[in-house]
Amino acid sequence: MSQSGRNGLTYSDAGVDIDAGNLMVEKIKPAVKSTRRPGADGEIGGFGGLFDLKAAGFTDPVLVAANDGVGTKLKIAIDAGIHDTVGIDLVAMCVNDLVVQGAEPLFFLDYFATGKLDPDQGAAIVGGIAAGCLEAGCALIGGETAEMPGMYKGGDYDLAGFAVGAAERGQLLPAGDIAEGDVILGLASSGVHSNGFSLVRKIVTLSGLDWDAPAPFASETTLGAALLTPTRIYVKPLLKAIRETGALKALAHITGGGFPENIPRVLPKHLAAEIDLDSITVPAVFSWLAATGGVAQNEMLRTFNCGVGMIVVVSAENADAVTAALEAEGETVARLGRMVVREDGAAGTIYKGKLGL
């Protein structure tokens, strides 16, 4: 190659298409605009997103921040060619972690990295992020799209999300008054949510099924679409119950690590959660995963939510009122168990009964 030929290289020759990036920004503007809320009124395209806490109605707020990704569930979205739901998962994994601390999610930022930017694919992903933000009541005030040839192959991409919420000072959870005899409520999940998918994908490989085959546990849809059912966003029902009843003592988001890892995080060291496994309605997807992969009950419980995506701790006298408040907002609530004294060296989660797999 001549010297002048080398000097004629462009960024596009290196695999980065600035025009595709600009086109994607135009495509996502309506979705982003739909998430506006009090406190967030800016346009995307600036160097940073602005948020006005006073306009959002707070007087003496404590900020709470969370970040997360979607994990290898993205691989199913890529292989199945379904890109409009993983954005909801991205938001859910962050905002559910905010609300468990009593915080109202205020704004969200996303990071989308890909090997070769497809503006339509990118717009579908951000459309899902906007849908999740609308459901959580937070504004999508910024994001980053990175085209990185050589880092990601083919149509592969990765997502990360960052959410900030606020609670008035003194209103954060868990409260300091969790006691022996308090009731544990469980809110139903929408399915596998967004963790454990490395095991899910291994089990699907064992099954020999393709992503477009009918799902054995939900024959009206394909396996890929069924497994991509988005993570449930619990924000609005929980905030309403917190504000209406003032009776929620603690919340735990059941993600990777399941019950044994996530419930003890919000409990005082002298208490354990006694869970009656017979009280859980286990969605068919978990029965299929356990049977197809030969996965033992305790491994299921420490990998997946098994049908319970959120745990609520309340005093026994307030259990019915909190249940009613959550059911009025569309949640499916089960009474899972109670708080008991934790023996020295014992686990923070104790099981009774058997999971209905």
Side-chain angles (χ1 to χ4, degrees):
M1 187 188 271
S2 71
Q3 185 67 30
S4 62
R6 277 204 299 275
N7 290 347
L9 280 173
T10 65
Y11 207 6
S12 185
D13 294 330
V16 177
D17 187 342
I18 292 170
D19 294 332
N22 291 336
L23 177 59
M24 182 179 141
V25 169
E26 287 309 309
K27 281 179 177 286
I28 67 176
K29 274 185 175 175
V32 172
K33 200 168 182 177
S34 74
T35 69
R36 280 183 170 179
R37 55 152 292 154
D41 295 310
E43 287 285 341
I44 59 162
F47 285 93
L50 305 179
F51 194 90
D52 183 344
L53 279 165
K54 193 167 272 187
F58 288 90
T59 52
D60 186 20
V62 176
L63 293 179
V64 184
N67 71 303
D68 212 333
V70 184
T72 58
K73 188 174 190 174
L74 287 180
K75 194 70 183 139
I76 298 178
I78 292 161
D79 292 346
I82 301 170
H83 306 290
D84 59 347
T85 58
V86 286
I88 300 173
D89 288 293
L90 184 68
V91 175
M93 295 304 284
C94 295
V95 296
N96 285 342
D97 278 356
L98 294 182
V99 76
V100 297
Q101 294 173 89
E104 175 188 339
L106 301 176
F107 59 86
F108 191 86
L109 299 102
D110 70 281
Y111 174 80
F112 166 47
T114 183
K116 179 70 182 160
L117 183 60
D118 173 343
D120 289 327
Q121 182 199 63
I125 292 165
V126 176
I129 294 170
C133 285
L134 268 173
E135 200 179 329
C138 64
L140 179 56
I141 66 167
E144 166 71 1
T145 301
E147 192 173 23
M148 300 165 68
M151 284 286 287
Y152 299 91
K153 67 177 190 294
D156 283 357
Y157 60 86
D158 200 6
L159 293 174
F162 311 85
V164 173
E168 292 292 0
R169 196 173 304 278
Q171 308 263 302
L172 290 170
L173 295 176
D177 59 347
I178 302 171
E180 183 183 0
D182 281 352
V183 169
I184 302 162
L185 305 174
L187 306 188
S189 68
S190 55
V192 186
H193 283 185
S194 197
N195 59 274
F197 273 88
S198 295
L199 180 55
V200 169
R201 287 168 46 247
K202 201 167 181 66
I203 291 168
V204 170
T205 302
L206 279 174
S207 78
L209 293 171
D210 292 325
W211 298 119
D212 57 1
F217 50 87
S219 54
E220 71 285 353
T221 187
T222 64
L223 180 59
L227 288 172
L228 287 169
T229 301
T231 305
R232 188 166 180 83
I233 293 174
Y234 297 99
V235 169
K236 288 181 179 176
L238 284 172
L239 286 176
K240 201 153 193 294
I242 288 168
R243 289 163 183 170
E244 274 184 6
T245 69
L248 283 72
K249 293 187 174 191
L251 298 166
H253 183 201
I254 306 304
T255 56
F259 288 168
E261 297 294 330
N262 289 295
I263 300 176
R265 289 166 71 176
V266 298
L267 302 183
K269 296 282 181 253
H270 70 285
L271 292 176
E274 184 183 79
I275 305 284
D276 178 7
L277 298 178
D278 293 316
S279 66
I280 299 171
T281 303
V282 181
V285 59
F286 295 110
S287 302
W288 180 77
L289 289 167
T292 309
V295 187
Q297 171 183 283
N298 279 20
E299 188 63 22
M300 290 294 293
L301 285 164
R302 64 178 237 161
T303 307
F304 301 115
N305 66 63
C306 295
V308 178
M310 185 69 70
I311 292 288
V312 183
V313 180
V314 293
S315 66
E317 61 265 28
N318 290 323
D320 289 342
V322 171
T323 298
L326 289 166
E327 286 177 343
E329 294 302 306
E331 295 301 326
T332 302
V333 187
R335 196 175 280 221
L336 295 186
R338 62 195 182 99
M339 287 298 155
V340 297
V341 173
R342 184 172 178 173
E343 306 296 334
D344 282 346
T349 309
I350 302 161
Y351 303 127
K352 284 169 54 184
K354 192 163 174 255
L355 205 54
L357 293 167

